[in-house]
Amino acid sequence: MADTNTPKSGASNSGALSTLVTVYFFWGFIAAGNGVFIPFCKHYFQLDQFQSQLIDFAFYLAYYLGALGLYFAASVFGKDLVAKWGYRNSIVYGLLFSALGAIIMIFAVNANTFPGMLAGLFAVALGFSLQQTAANPFTALLGSPETGAHRITLGGGINSFGTAIGPIVVALALFGATKSNDTLINSLGLGKVSILYAGVGGLFILAAALFFFSKKLPSGKYETDTEKSPKALGALLAMTILLVAVFVPIFKSYTIITEDKALLQSIEMDRFKWLLCGLVVIVGTLLISLNRAKKDATGWGAMKYPQLILGMLAIFTYVGVEVTIQSNLGALLELKEFGGYASSQVAPFISMYWGSLMIGRWTGSIKAFEPTESLKNMLLFVTPIVAFGVVIAVNTIAQNDMAPLYQYIVCVAVQAVAFYMSKDKPARTLMLFSLLGAACMVAGILTTGKIATYAFLSGGLFCSIMWPCIFALSIAGLGKFTSQGSAFLIMMILGGAIIPPIQGKLADLKAIGIHQSYWVPAIGFAYLAWFGFAVRRMLQKQGIDYDAGTGSGH
């Protein structure tokens, strides 16, 4: 039964909504800030590219384990814990857990330990996992169902704004207003990281207090039974156990200290092999589940639908591609042929990458406001230019030199044309944007300098709209299994933990290097293009012609 504090249809909840969207900002701010934090830690702790990617590994692994834990508990107790606690309390618990992660980070910084910092980031993201599970349905709850998509779109826009300014704020916190070079990074120390996370932790606690004491926010408590899916649960638990087995030797190798070059090379190859095994475990589990569910759908729950399983792999790929492009961007920009930038100078590029996602999501959300056809067509070209100007303006205020990025507006114009051609159809949008993303990655690999840099940054433009496209196509036709299918898709944010370290390990191999390692996102975009083509046919066979519009992104 729904909580009696639930707002009635048509009620005005602008105050409650303004409180709620703060968590969307936090998700984007911290995740995008990691793009600057990674090269900082790489130089400070003298890590290789793979080791620096453990920041993303810890962060996005937490999303998977958090969502899996909630699903496991629901399977055991037969109740949705988030619904039982209530959306408001779930967000409060998530914010407090993230605050605990910030405290762990501060202790780790004072102890000068990189593994401890990874534990802190893991705890922060674990809190985010709970927040995200509750926030989307809670946002839809704050008002009439007819305008629910508009409110979620607003949350996505706030999230994207957080991703755009996160790298700038983190860079200012680490390096200050002066543009230091890598030779000065060690002298900066970790004290500023401690101050940064003290501030972040304080904001988490403040937000939790606002949610807890706000009289405008309903509790959002529901009593609901969950659909049983023992075979799906078994498959996911088996996959988790295998992943633990795969990553134990990787982390053991991280602690080995030696100057023996032959031994180091052997360790690097072993890491790469184990990383590939992890990828095989995930892809293999999903494909085997797909095959078995086709033969006997009993006990598979939402995973009996092929669009859902292949959509899980698509979310895994999309998040991995989105994260790995920017996570390895700092190392790429250090190359002379890409400008020879210091770690303290990459923030504008990281900001523009995440700003590219903001540009796409703002443009993709136009239809949610139901403009006339002529106004919509005009906004398809005006909105991305305005959003591009916002990214430039924010960086300029932060005294970042944006001159090298002014001509990037050409790439923004290409994306605007792609939006016009997509006609708001999820499958067509996904195919078109994936093909353009793959083309940009190949162009970046085959060139250097400004053209290649713009090509790689454009990955953000073409990733921007993929989350809602994949999500909508994957849960189409699931009926009573829609909620469960949504939870499975959120688990696959795991891609952000697996794919970036694989690219980082390839970048460490002399035969490949950081530039050629970008074949990883190129292959990822190729799969997403295939999924966009294949899922449309799958849905048509089920009698579903899914041509609904898209909204905001993850």
Side-chain angles (χ1 to χ4, degrees):
M1 180 181 294
D3 146 25
T4 55
N5 292 325
T6 300
K8 295 180 180 179
S9 178
S12 174
N13 295 283
S14 57
L17 184 61
S18 63
T19 302
L20 180 57
V21 296
T22 57
V23 295
Y24 286 84
F25 177 85
F26 283 139
W27 304 337
F29 180 88
I30 298 296
N34 286 345
V36 176
F37 199 49
I38 285 171
F40 174 85
C41 288
K42 178 182 177 182
H43 286 278
Y44 184 86
F45 290 104
Q46 298 182 343
L47 308 172
D48 61 27
Q49 189 62 15
F50 161 76
Q51 291 169 331
S52 70
Q53 297 304 307
L54 292 176
I55 289 174
D56 276 336
F57 177 82
F59 191 81
Y60 290 98
L61 179 65
Y63 274 93
Y64 170 72
L65 292 179
L68 179 63
L70 289 172
Y71 168 60
F72 179 76
S75 298
V76 172
F77 299 110
K79 298 289 182 182
D80 185 332
L81 291 184
V82 172
K84 184 177 181 180
W85 293 336
Y87 295 139
R88 182 177 65 185
N89 285 342
S90 295
I91 292 174
V92 170
Y93 300 154
L95 284 165
L96 292 177
F97 208 95
S98 293
L100 175 63
I103 294 171
I104 294 172
M105 176 70 79
I106 293 169
F107 277 107
V109 165
N110 291 331
N112 204 45
T113 167
F114 182 62
M117 294 170 71
L118 294 179
L121 281 171
F122 178 86
V124 168
L126 201 59
F128 283 2
S129 178
L130 179 54
Q131 293 167 41
Q132 184 154 327
T133 301
N136 283 328
F138 199 17
T139 304
L141 181 68
L142 293 178
S144 65
E146 292 79 9
T147 57
H150 295 216
R151 293 187 293 277
I152 294 175
T153 296
L154 173 63
I158 297 297
N159 173 271
S160 295
F161 183 65
T163 64
I165 71 170
I168 302 170
V169 175
V170 172
L172 287 173
L174 294 177
F175 306 112
T178 59
K179 304 302 177 188
S180 56
N181 56 46
D182 289 340
T183 61
L184 298 179
I185 287 180
N186 288 341
S187 66
L188 290 174
L190 290 173
K192 292 186 176 181
V193 178
S194 182
I195 295 172
L196 172 65
Y197 272 89
V200 168
L203 289 174
F204 287 147
I205 293 172
L206 177 61
L210 287 174
F211 274 89
F212 185 76
F213 292 109
S214 176
K215 294 181 179 180
K216 297 179 180 179
L217 284 171
S219 66
K221 289 184 178 180
Y222 283 83
E223 288 294 335
T224 179
D225 295 329
T226 59
E227 296 292 339
K228 298 292 184 179
S229 52
K231 292 181 180 178
L233 177 63
L236 291 171
L237 289 178
M239 183 177 79
T240 304
I241 292 169
L242 289 173
L243 285 175
V244 170
V246 164
F247 280 98
V248 165
I250 293 177
F251 283 107
K252 279 187 176 181
S253 70
Y254 168 75
T255 62
I256 297 175
I257 300 175
T258 179
E259 294 182 0
D260 187 331
K261 292 184 178 180
L263 179 58
L264 283 173
Q265 187 175 6
S266 175
I267 291 172
E268 287 183 1
M269 287 306 301
D270 286 343
R271 281 179 183 167
F272 183 58
K273 291 175 183 177
W274 283 114
L275 280 168
L276 288 182
C277 284
L279 182 62
V280 169
V281 165
I282 295 166
V283 175
T285 299
L286 293 177
L287 294 183
I288 291 172
S289 299
L290 175 65
N291 183 57
R292 291 187 175 179
K294 281 183 179 179
K295 295 178 179 178
D296 181 6
T298 306
W300 282 102
M303 288 179 71
K304 69 182 179 181
Y305 294 93
Q307 65 266 31
L308 189 276
I309 293 184
L310 293 176
M312 290 169 69
L313 186 55
I315 288 288
F316 173 87
T317 303
Y318 148 69
V319 175
V321 166
E322 177 186 278
V323 174
T324 199
I325 291 173
Q326 68 89 31
S327 293
N328 289 284
L329 193 60
L332 182 76
L333 293 171
E334 291 176 7
L335 300 178
K336 289 183 179 180
E337 56 267 35
F338 282 86
Y341 294 95
S343 296
S344 56
Q345 297 173 315
V346 303
F349 295 92
I350 301 296
S351 177
M352 182 56 75
Y353 175 79
W354 288 110
S356 295
L357 277 97
M358 182 186 81
I359 292 168
R361 289 170 182 174
W362 284 14
T363 307
S365 66
I366 290 171
K367 191 178 178 182
F369 299 98
E370 301 179 358
T372 62
E373 188 66 20
S374 59
L375 178 59
K376 186 193 79 170
N377 290 335
M378 181 186 72
L379 290 175
L380 283 178
F381 293 92
V382 173
T383 302
I385 293 174
V386 171
F388 176 74
V390 169
V391 179
I392 294 291
V394 170
N395 277 276
T396 301
I397 292 171
Q399 299 182 354
N400 288 322
D401 180 15
M402 299 304 289
L405 290 166
Y406 290 153
Q407 293 171 312
Y408 184 65
I409 196 170
V410 174
C411 301
V412 176
V414 171
Q415 187 207 44
V417 173
F419 266 115
Y420 180 79
M421 294 174 62
S422 69
K423 303 299 182 184
D424 293 312
K425 297 181 179 180
R428 179 188 292 187
T429 301
L430 183 59
M431 282 190 290
L432 180 58
F433 276 52
S434 297
L435 290 172
L436 286 169
C440 285
M441 293 303 104
V442 174
I445 291 166
L446 299 179
T447 59
T448 57
K450 183 178 288 188
I451 292 176
T453 301
Y454 282 9
F456 291 135
L457 288 176
S458 294
L461 293 171
F462 301 117
C463 278
S464 62
I465 202 66
M466 287 187 178
W467 174 274
C469 290
I470 297 170
F471 213 96
L473 293 165
S474 300
I475 64 174
L478 265 60
K480 65 179 181 179
F481 294 104
T482 298
S483 178
Q484 187 182 95
S486 299
F488 290 162
L489 291 171
I490 289 176
M491 289 181 199
M492 290 298 104
I493 293 176
L494 177 67
I498 304 297
I499 293 178
I502 288 177
Q503 184 177 351
K505 191 66 260 163
L506 286 171
D508 285 332
L509 299 176
K510 291 182 180 180
I512 298 176
I514 186 67
H515 189 187
Q516 295 301 312
S517 73
Y518 272 83
W519 280 110
V520 171
I523 294 170
F525 276 123
Y527 170 73
L528 292 170
W530 175 85
F531 174 75
F533 174 78
V535 73
R536 184 177 181 181
R537 291 194 169 188
M538 289 178 197
L539 294 176
Q540 287 176 342
K541 288 181 179 179
Q542 297 173 32
I544 302 169
D545 186 10
Y546 200 86
D547 282 338
T550 59
S552 64
H554 164 65

